[in-house]
Amino acid sequence: MTTIINRKRIVVMMMTVKFKTTLKGYYSNYRDEIEITHGKKTFKITSATNAQIDYDVTSDDGGAPGSCTVTLYNVAKESLNDFAKGDHIVLKSGPADLYGILTEGDITKVNVEAKDGQDRATVISFTEGADYTKLPKMQSKFNGSKMVKKTVTVGKKKITYTKKQVKKLNITFRNKVTAMQLISRIKSEAKIKISSIKLKENHVYKKGYTISSKPLAVLKSIVKDCKSKMYYRHGSLVIETGADVNPYNEHLFLSLNTGLRSLPVANDGDGGESTFTLECEEDPRIVAGSAVDVDSEILKGTYRVKNAHHTHDRSSYGMELTVHA
């Protein structure tokens, strides 16, 4: 289906906020491209050169990075040496006027297999964003010390003595340190990239704070104390309030004439929360956390995207969204 979406309109959103919605182009002339960095070498594979690139990409505002796959058909065996586990991959997709980065991350597995009796397929699995779970625990640059007992055997005699031993110390912060100060220090010292930081509450730790866990776990705990959310979006970590109707200042419009393939469907038992599922034309701009303005008989207003599932299988593109109701 080809849908014209060249239009400008003023829409009244939930929470009585006004935004200008602007979309242009057509849901047609899709193209795909992957860019892989292997050591100092970067190479591209694009559908413009008749390469077949399929993908299955998810993003979720729950905090865990999405698990994604890209499938390439009939890749030359010698080309398989150009990428491996740990390499960085960027996936771009979309119709001509909406083309852009869908996601990026680090490759976790490369597997060659026959898929449903079709051509040989090379399946590249990767995790959205950088894998910060493997970062070592942060320690103070200033060591402490403690006295320990040592025993050595000289001839037939055992001699015991005490010796000063260096001891790594946890990083500690003074009383009344704020969450933003902690986040800035952790981000800088652990070299964690966070593309956007907006806290609902800049929590104050009246008794100070001691970092006793790995950096990502500490960040998650601090963000929770601030009643905010941290998750991956387009391959980057973001921190936001979870309450802002449109935190990324997006103006994305969905109706049966512009992007929606069918009417939204209410979900039952989604963790006790009321959510809806929307079947849509593929749009790489819409991921977890996006704000979409929906105009249908079932839903009208602005809704935050909880989960986005993007797929391309041979010639079929699709996008399934779950939105917070």
Side-chain angles (χ1 to χ4, degrees), residues 204-260:
V204 177
Y205 296 89
K206 296 180 180 179
K207 296 182 179 180
Y209 196 91
T210 298
I211 295 179
S212 57
S213 302
K214 289 187 175 183
L216 190 63
V218 176
L219 278 177
K220 287 180 178 179
S221 177
I222 293 170
V223 170
K224 185 177 180 181
D225 290 341
C226 296
K227 300 176 182 177
S228 301
K229 305 175 73 169
M230 181 173 72
Y231 54 93
Y232 288 86
R233 175 179 162 78
H234 286 303
S236 298
L237 268 178
V238 297
I239 297 174
E240 54 113 332
T241 68
D244 192 339
V245 67
N246 194 352
Y248 307 106
N249 198 28
E250 295 173 317
H251 315 301
L252 307 170
F253 184 72
L254 294 172
S255 74
L256 290 176
N257 294 320
T258 55
L260 271 183

Side-chain angles (χ1 to χ4, degrees), residues 58-296:
T58 60
S59 64
D60 191 278
D61 69 2
S67 296
C68 313
T69 59
V70 168
T71 303
L72 309 174
Y73 292 92
N74 293 328
V75 176
K77 289 185 178 180
E78 55 271 20
S79 297
L80 296 178
N81 296 325
D82 290 332
F83 47 87
K85 181 179 179 180
D87 290 350
H88 192 73
I89 181 172
V90 178
L91 170 62
K92 299 179 181 179
S93 185
D97 294 322
L98 305 178
Y99 179 79
I101 293 177
L102 176 56
T103 190
E104 61 181 291
D106 295 333
I107 295 176
T108 56
K109 185 178 181 181
V110 178
N111 189 38
V112 180
E113 59 185 40
K115 190 174 182 181
D116 300 329
Q118 299 173 353
D119 300 333
R120 187 183 71 247
T122 301
V123 181
I124 303 172
S125 302
F126 63 99
T127 301
E128 184 181 24
D131 186 3
Y132 295 123
T133 61
K134 296 179 181 179
L135 287 176
K137 180 181 172 182
M138 294 170 58
Q139 300 281 355
S140 174
K141 294 179 181 178
F142 303 97
N143 297 322
S145 64
K146 63 179 180 179
M147 301 304 293
V148 295
K149 287 185 177 182
K150 296 284 185 177
T151 301
V152 295
T153 301
V154 179
K156 296 182 179 181
K157 292 184 178 180
K158 289 186 177 181
I159 301 173
T160 301
Y161 63 97
T162 58
K163 179 181 179 180
K164 183 182 289 187
Q165 186 179 71
V166 173
K167 180 182 179 183
K168 284 287 186 179
L169 299 177
N170 290 327
I171 298 176
T172 59
F173 297 84
R174 57 180 171 75
N175 295 349
K176 298 184 179 179
V177 65
T178 67
M180 186 59 78
Q181 289 173 321
L182 293 174
I183 291 171
S184 297
R185 173 71 180 276
I186 296 167
K187 177 185 173 184
S188 173
E189 189 137 335
K191 294 180 173 55
I192 294 177
K193 295 181 180 179
I194 306 175
S195 60
S196 176
I197 302 176
K198 294 180 181 178
L199 297 174
K200 184 175 182 180
E201 172 187 306
N202 189 13
H203 187 76
V204 177
Y205 296 89
K206 296 180 180 179
K207 296 182 179 180
Y209 196 91
T210 298
I211 295 179
S212 57
S213 302
K214 289 187 175 183
L216 190 63
V218 176
L219 278 177
K220 287 180 178 179
S221 177
I222 293 170
V223 170
K224 185 177 180 181
D225 290 341
C226 296
K227 300 176 182 177
S228 301
K229 305 175 73 169
M230 181 173 72
Y231 54 93
Y232 288 86
R233 175 179 162 78
H234 286 303
S236 298
L237 268 178
V238 297
I239 297 174
E240 54 113 332
T241 68
D244 192 339
V245 67
N246 194 352
Y248 307 106
N249 198 28
E250 295 173 317
H251 315 301
L252 307 170
F253 184 72
L254 294 172
S255 74
L256 290 176
N257 294 320
T258 55
L260 271 183
R261 288 180 173 176
S262 58
L263 289 174
V265 177
N267 298 317
D268 294 327
D270 192 354
E273 181 189 9
S274 178
T275 62
F276 283 81
T277 295
L278 285 65
E279 293 290 338
C280 312
E281 302 292 340
E282 169 67 312
D283 187 333
R285 300 168 303 168
I286 303 178
V287 292
S290 292
V292 290
D293 183 39
V294 183
D295 185 6
S296 72

Side-chain angles (χ1 to χ4, degrees), residues 16-30:
T16 68
V17 181
K18 290 185 178 181
F19 293 111
K20 189 176 182 180
T21 301
T22 303
L23 292 177
K24 63 179 181 179
Y26 302 83
Y27 285 114
S28 63
N29 299 322
Y30 280 80

